[in-house]
């Protein structure tokens, strides 16, 4: 039986405001993230003795190069290339580090720049399998991969574009209450449906917009957080899995389906106890898979679940309460942090006018790395209000 | 769903000729196994010699048992289309110019799931499909799915990008005098070539088959001596900007090796036609063809070389001829590299002995000029770049791949 995550606190939710394109390097975005963490926590640089970094555009540097770049001397350092699962994985590693005393305060940061040409370059060399067996086929990037999954899901489980649209429209409404969201205009279902096709059946509003930005939070023990007078949320349980179900001919489930029972057992809670859910939402179909695989409904029932719930912050199932990547933007690896950082805000009463009423517990899920035909990494974490 | 290939419109000489672009051509070394098989028209995937697992994408180790003993084995070519998409946006110039582009995810009957280019005749998923590996314009293998084995590639807008079909194209055949030249001309005419320029090195002489050639409506006879730089240059100046497919079948072939022949004159003549002839043609026609790699539906697409299976290993009783073909093979590899940026495919033919005058004393089987011509046209249609036509060539190839030293010893005895 693995050790529980008791006594781990997450604090200081930071979003470095996104922009569509930036002429700065990834280091600039990560530097701002660290500087915000220090400013809010009132910690000195020397007190950050742990650092976890995720970024697609930091090359040729890695986390260790960043320490010299930023003048940090951590005794615990991680570089996590897990894309959309980076947030949960960083949390898991950092939680164990502070439990074991290898570090006292771990700064988890993720961020990327976005030059006009960077997205194309990232795609062409994303992975060996992508370069050999996906990119030469039309160079559609993740749009093409998720088009396959979406088309197959729609055919198999009867989801409609209206179902996906309902999530996108609700998330846009949430985003309008999040000052850092790049999308500032409301979205109607009509606009969603008539948007231009990108990769059938995906249309414009099904696809995240790549941008530059950074997200960050601190991990430490509850005692440490209390001694620093920081608002924090408690970590109740967390899971990760890579390359789950490798023999499925096409991805209709992620690693959550393997590990969710353990997740809820660690937390001592059930799906119905969650006051909000932050899914990884680079494309809406993945949110549907997470609803199913995390036990909010059975496999194939997400379309019905969507039809019978509302997903705004004041709805009966608040989902992606800051707007998700679909309405905030996808700042590279920071996309895997967005929901986690928002969950900390929700559970520490820092979510402003999008605060979910009486939020006591929430679930955050991550998903990443379309290495070939499917996302390989999945993770999830449950947090509770103090 | 397929659209019939129509005759391209006459080119407006005032408009700019678009420059060639290529699909993404980077591959890991291990992935080039797919390309090596596709270059010969085979569909092969990595298969584990220890546990038998078949895997894709290509890996450095078996994903089942971690064995490093992997080999590329021919696979069944059927599967089910699980899902499809039509791209309306691409991050790559080549595809951007060709949108919309249809793709699918295919579960192969032999195991793996693959991403494939889809022929427009394939119905919506789920549906059975036939798969094959083809070379794309970058010269790298891609997997394509067609409704069935017999689907016509050239009559599909997307599939056409992987072929060099002679239909509606203008072809230069460098030697019309030989039986092979005449067989090639017949096959190309039958395949729908629009215009066939036929070279003859001694225009003052009427050669056997001359009258029959003149009867083929597409044929225009033109003087061409590949050993004469001026002759090649003048012809290139006249038609170089119009040739879509160049078939260099001019060759000089005499028997014997070293000790049974005095002097170097014969060997020099072989080199002059077989090696320098190719070099002269490449220098004069290569640049113009490279510039026309994207010249509409019937731009420059292919260059065909008549080599010989003796280019791989010297056949001592035709020793100097073998050497000249080995030199030509090496030069053809250089030409392939230099034509690649334009997407112009260099097709090499490696026949065994052709049933002609200079192979009189060789025992059968010998390859008939008609069969070799058919193999050449099929290679253009199917997008194959290395052709080993006939049983002798296939057997030599197998022996050479299995153990080149053994083949050398066998040939010397």
């Amino acid at each position: 039986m693995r050790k529980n995550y008791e006594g781990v606190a997450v604090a200081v939710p930071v979003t470095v405001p996104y922009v569509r394109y930036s002429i700065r390097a990834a280091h600039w975005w990560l530097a701002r993230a660290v500087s915000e963490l220090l400013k809010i926590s009132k910690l000195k640089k020397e007190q950050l003795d742990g650092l976890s970094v995720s970024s697609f555009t930091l090359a040729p540097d890695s986390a260790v190069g960043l320490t010299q770049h930023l003048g940090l001397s951590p005794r615990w350092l991680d570089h996590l290339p897990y894309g959309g699962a980076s947030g949960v994985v960083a949390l898991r590693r950092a939680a164990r580090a502070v439990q074991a005393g290898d570090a006292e305060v771990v700064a988890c940061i993720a961020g990327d720049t976005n030059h006009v040409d960077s997205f194309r370059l990232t795609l062409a060399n994303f992975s060996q399998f992508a370069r050999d067996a996906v990119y030469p086929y039309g160079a559609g990037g993740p749009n093409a991969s998720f088009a396959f999954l979406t088309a197959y899901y729609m055919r198999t489980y009867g989801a409609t574009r209206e179902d996906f649209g309902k999530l996108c429209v609700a998330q846009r409404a949430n985003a309008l209450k999040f000052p850092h969201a790049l999308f500032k205009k409301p979205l109607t279902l009509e606009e969603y449906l008539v948007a231009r096709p990108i990769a059938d059946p995906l249309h414009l509003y099904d696809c995240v917009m790549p941008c530059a930005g950074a997200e960050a939070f601190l991990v430490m023990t509850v005692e440490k957080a209390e001694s620093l007078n920081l608002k924090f949320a408690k970590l109740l349980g967390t899971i990760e899995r890579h390359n789950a179900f490798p023999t499925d001919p096409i991805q209709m489930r992620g690693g959550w389906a393997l590990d969710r029972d353990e997740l809820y057992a660690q937390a001592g809670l059930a799906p119905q106890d969650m006051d909000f859910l932050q899914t990884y939402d680079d494309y809406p179909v993945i949110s549907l898979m997470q609803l199913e695989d995390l036990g909010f409904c059975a496999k194939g029932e997400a379309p019905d679940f969507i039809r019978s719930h509302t997903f705004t912050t004041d709805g009966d199932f608040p989902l992606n309460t800051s707007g998700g990547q679909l309405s905030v933007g996808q700042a590279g690896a920071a996309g895997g942090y967005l929901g986690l950082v928002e969950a900390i805000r929700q559970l520490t009463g820092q979510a402003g006018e999008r605060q979910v009423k009486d939020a006591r517990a929430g679930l955050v899920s991550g998903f990443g790395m379309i290495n070939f035909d499917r996302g390989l990494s999945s993770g999830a974490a449950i947090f509770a209000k103090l | 769903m397929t659209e019939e290939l129509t005759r391209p419109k006459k080119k407006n000489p005032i408009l700019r000729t678009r420059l060639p672009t290529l699909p993404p051509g980077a591959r890991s070394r291990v992935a080039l196994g797919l390309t090596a098989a596709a270059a010969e028209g085979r569909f092969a995937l990595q298969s584990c010699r220890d546990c038998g697992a078949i895997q894709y994408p290509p890996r450095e180790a078996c994903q089942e048992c971690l064995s490093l003993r992997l080999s590329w084995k021919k696979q069944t070519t059927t599967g089910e289309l699980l899902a499809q998409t039509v791209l309306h946006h691409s991050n790559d110039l080549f595809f951007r110019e060709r949108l919309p582009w249809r793709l699918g995810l295919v579960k192969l009957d032999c195991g793996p799931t693959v991403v494939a280019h889809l022929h427009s005749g394939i119905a919506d998923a789920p549906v059975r499909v036939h798969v094959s590996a083809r070379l794309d314009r970058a010269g790298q293998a891609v997997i394509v799915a067609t409704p069935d084995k017999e689907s016509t590639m050239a009559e599909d807008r997307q599939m056409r990008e992987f072929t060099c079909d002679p239909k509606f194209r203008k072809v230069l055949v460098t030697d019309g005098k030989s039986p092979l030249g005449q067989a090639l001309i017949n096959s190309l005419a039958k395949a729908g070539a629009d215009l066939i320029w036929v070279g003859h090195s001694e225009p003052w002489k009427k050669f056997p088959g001359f009258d029959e050639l003149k009867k083929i409506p597409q044929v225009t006879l033109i003087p061409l001596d590949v050993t004469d730089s001026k002759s090649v240059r003048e012809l290139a100046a006249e038609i170089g900007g119009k040739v879509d497919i160049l078939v260099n079948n001019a060759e000089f072939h005499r028997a014997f090796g070293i000790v049974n022949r005095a002097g170097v004159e014969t060997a020099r003549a072989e080199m002059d036609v077989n090696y320098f002839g190719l070099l002269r043609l490449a220098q004069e026609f290569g640049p113009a063809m490279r510039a026309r790699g994207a010249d509409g539906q019937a731009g420059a697409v292919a260059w065909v070389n008549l080599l010989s299976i003796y280019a791989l290993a010297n056949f001592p009783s035709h020793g100097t001829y073998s050497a000249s073909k080995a030199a030509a093979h090496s030069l053809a590899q250089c030409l392939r590299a230099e034509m690649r940026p334009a997407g112009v495919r260099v097709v090499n033919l490696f026949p065994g002995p052709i049933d002609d005058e200079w192979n009189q004393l060789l025992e059968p089987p010998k390859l008939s000029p008609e069969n070799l011509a058919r193999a050449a046209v099929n290679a253009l249609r199917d997008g194959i770049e290395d052709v080993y036509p006939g049983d002798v060539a296939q057997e030599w190839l197998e022996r050479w791949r299995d153990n080149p030293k053994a083949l050398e010893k066998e040939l010397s005895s």
Side-chain angles (χ1 to χ4, degrees), chain A residues 119-120 123 125 128-129 131-144 147-149 151-152 155 196-202 243 246-250 372-374, chain B residues 23-24 26-28 30-31 34 56-60 81-92 95 101 103-105 107 113-117 125-126 136 141-143:
Chain A
F119 189 65
R120 191 180 65 82
L123 291 185
N125 295 299
Q128 180 173 323
F129 285 0
R131 199 183 54 190
D132 288 344
V134 186
Y135 199 66
Y137 297 80
N143 292 334
F148 291 145
L149 305 188
Y152 189 89
R155 195 177 85 229
R196 69 183 163 96
I198 301 294
D200 299 328
L202 300 179
N243 196 24
T247 56
D248 286 3
I250 183 170
F372 169 48
D373 60 336
R374 63 193 68 196
Chain B
R27 299 287 191 283
S28 61
V30 74
L34 189 72
Y56 183 86
R59 295 162 164 89
E60 296 286 353
L81 179 67
L82 295 176
Q84 60 181 332
T85 184
V86 177
L87 296 182
H88 300 275
H89 171 271
S90 172
N91 297 285
D92 178 82
F95 288 108
W101 193 268
L103 299 175
L105 203 58
K107 167 84 170 79
T113 296
V114 304
V115 177
H117 297 293
D136 64 13
V142 286
I143 297 176

Side-chain angles (χ1 to χ4, degrees), chain A residues 268-279:
Chain A
L269 295 172
Q272 59 270 22
D273 299 321
M274 298 302 125
D275 297 307
F276 60 81
L277 171 65
Q278 316 285 356
T279 59

Side-chain angles (χ1 to χ4, degrees), chain B residues 116-303:
Chain B
H117 297 293
L118 293 192
H119 188 287
S120 56
I122 293 174
D124 286 348
V127 66
R128 301 286 301 164
V129 295
H130 175 266
V131 296
S132 56
R134 308 279 175 162
L135 298 179
D136 64 13
R137 287 274 164 244
Q140 298 288 34
V142 286
I143 297 176
V144 307
T146 50
D148 52 58
K149 214 173 162 186
E150 277 74 41
S151 309
T152 317
M153 295 280 282
E155 296 195 345
D156 176 79
R157 183 182 64 85
Q158 287 184 205
M159 297 295 120
R160 201 175 299 149
E161 297 290 347
F162 308 116
T163 71
C164 308
D165 201 299
K167 197 169 181 185
F168 297 131
R169 287 202 152 102
K170 299 175 176 59
V171 187
L172 167 63
V173 177
T174 58
D175 178 21
K177 271 166 61 179
S178 68
L180 172 63
Q182 290 167 20
L184 280 164
I185 293 157
N186 279 318
S187 292
L188 289 162
K190 220 190 291 170
D194 206 33
L195 222 166
I196 307 171
W197 289 288
V198 175
H200 58 144
S201 55
E202 296 166 316
W204 55 88
K205 271 206 263 184
K206 209 168 161 185
F207 51 83
F210 181 88
D211 292 329
E212 285 73 19
L213 274 191
K214 292 284 273 185
K215 283 187 205 138
I216 301 172
Q218 295 107 309
V219 165
T220 306
L221 281 153
I222 37 105
L224 172 61
D225 178 356
V226 300
T227 66
D228 176 355
S229 297
K230 187 162 165 265
S231 164
V232 176
R233 192 177 313 126
E234 281 173 3
L235 183 64
E238 200 182 320
I239 64 167
K242 299 177 198 162
V243 174
D244 302 320
I245 299 174
L246 190 154
V247 181
N248 180 24
N249 67 314
E251 70 167 359
F252 189 86
H253 182 182
R254 296 292 179 269
F256 301 127
I258 299 167
V259 295
N260 289 322
R261 199 191 270 155
V264 299
E265 285 69 25
T266 306
R268 182 178 283 151
E270 282 168 342
M271 287 298 279
D272 208 17
V273 177
N274 301 348
Y275 172 77
F276 285 107
L278 170 58
L279 181 57
R280 289 184 192 97
L281 288 164
Q283 285 179 338
E284 299 299 339
F285 283 86
M289 288 181 74
R290 272 176 32 139
R292 289 188 54 249
D295 192 8
Q297 188 193 306
V301 278
W303 181 300

Side-chain angles (χ1 to χ4, degrees), chain A residues 221-377:
Chain A
T221 59
V222 166
E223 297 76 50
K224 183 74 182 172
E226 280 166 347
S227 75
L228 294 170
N229 278 322
L230 294 173
K231 294 179 191 162
F232 64 92
K234 287 188 302 184
L235 174 61
L236 298 186
T238 174
I239 52 169
E240 75 179 80
R241 179 69 66 170
H242 306 278
N243 196 24
F245 310 116
T247 56
D248 286 3
I250 183 170
Q251 184 165 44
M252 282 295 106
R253 53 185 175 165
W256 311 284
L258 269 184
D259 303 299
R260 67 165 182 237
D261 291 346
E262 200 191 348
L263 172 69
Y264 290 117
Q266 285 170 10
L269 295 172
Q272 59 270 22
D273 299 321
M274 298 302 125
D275 297 307
F276 60 81
L277 171 65
Q278 316 285 356
T279 59
Y280 188 80
D281 68 325
D282 49 354
Y283 297 83
V285 70
I286 288 303
S287 289
L288 273 67
M289 264 182 231
Q290 287 161 84
L291 286 170
E292 294 164 352
D293 294 346
L294 288 164
F296 293 97
C297 60
K299 184 50 70 185
E301 287 177 8
D304 277 339
F305 187 90
I306 290 173
R307 291 164 204 162
S308 56
H309 287 84
T310 52
F311 301 96
T312 46
T313 51
D314 56 358
D316 63 4
F317 193 92
L319 176 77
N320 293 334
T321 52
S322 61
Q325 296 178 79
L326 285 167
S327 277
V328 179
Q330 181 180 53
Y337 269 54
L338 182 72
L340 207 162
V341 169
E342 170 68 5
I344 302 172
R345 288 198 192 95
Q346 288 287 349
L347 294 171
T348 52
Q350 302 180 72
E353 51 173 331
R354 59 185 197 289
Q355 183 67 51
V356 173
K357 205 161 158 259
D358 302 326
R360 290 169 323 249
L363 198 157
V364 176
S365 168
F367 176 70
M369 307 310 281
I370 308 287
N371 192 58
F372 169 48
D373 60 336
R374 63 193 68 196
L376 293 188
S377 299

